[in-house]
Amino acid sequence: MLKVVVDTSVFVTGYLSKTGKGCSSQIISRWRAGDFLLIMSRQILEEIVGKFVEKGIDENLILEFVEVVGKVALIIPGSYIVYRLDDIDPDDNMILAAAQEGKADYIVSLDAKHLLQLKHHKGTQIVEPELFLRALDS
């Protein structure tokens, strides 16, 4: 089974979607359906929850999300440290570190300025949601 780190931007976009039909929403649905194994660290989860609160996502949805993560995600210690993006966007380093620590096949992101430009990190392919969905279906 594919192991995947999903960037905060994908979760926020998916949860804010009005139709639930966009690529980010589909990725959340596919994860919940067990089509891939989500890799999650405490640092990433804290960032996601913080963004959910900031964007006004319903508290019940946030609690349900955290509960599902606890049940079906691969929770890693979050002990790896990466400095690759220190000069550009240090917050993105935790995504790279989680992928490295969890031996992820993919990082899925909407961050065209930083993460997507890298294309790869230590054997992990970095792709946008649409491309990841195609990879899941192939």
Side-chain angles (χ1 to χ4, degrees):
M1 178 173 290
L2 291 176
K3 294 193 292 185
V4 182
V5 175
V6 177
D7 189 14
T8 303
S9 59
V10 176
F11 280 113
V12 170
T13 301
Y15 270 82
L16 289 176
S17 171
K18 302 254 188 273
T19 65
K21 295 182 181 178
C23 291
S24 294
S25 296
Q26 289 178 48
I27 286 171
I28 294 167
S29 295
R30 299 286 298 266
W31 159 59
R32 288 174 173 238
D35 291 351
F36 64 90
L37 181 59
L38 177 70
I39 296 172
M40 183 66 68
S41 69
R42 178 189 51 77
Q43 297 93 327
I44 295 172
L45 184 59
E46 286 175 0
E47 181 180 71
I48 292 169
V49 169
K51 289 292 182 186
F52 281 1
V53 169
E54 182 182 303
K55 299 291 184 182
I57 293 174
D58 182 80
E59 186 177 317
N60 291 323
L61 285 175
I62 296 171
L63 292 172
E64 188 258 348
F65 170 77
V66 172
E67 184 178 319
V68 171
V69 165
K71 289 180 181 174
V72 299
L74 172 61
I75 308 295
I76 58 169
S79 56
Y80 278 43
I81 297 173
V82 172
Y83 300 103
R84 185 167 182 186
L85 294 174
D86 272 359
D87 295 339
I88 303 168
D89 188 352
D91 290 341
D92 287 336
N93 284 327
M94 72 178 154
I95 302 294
L96 299 175
Q100 191 173 337
E101 186 172 349
K103 297 179 177 50
D105 299 295
Y106 288 94
I107 293 172
V108 182
S109 179
L110 292 168
D111 184 353
K113 287 179 91 174
H114 307 123
L115 286 173
L116 289 170
Q117 285 189 8
L118 297 176
K119 299 192 188 315
H120 292 89
H121 175 73
K122 304 278 185 181
T124 300
Q125 199 170 355
I126 305 170
V127 297
E128 61 188 12
E130 183 179 351
L131 190 57
F132 178 66
L133 289 170
R134 278 194 241 144
L136 269 180
D137 291 333
S138 61

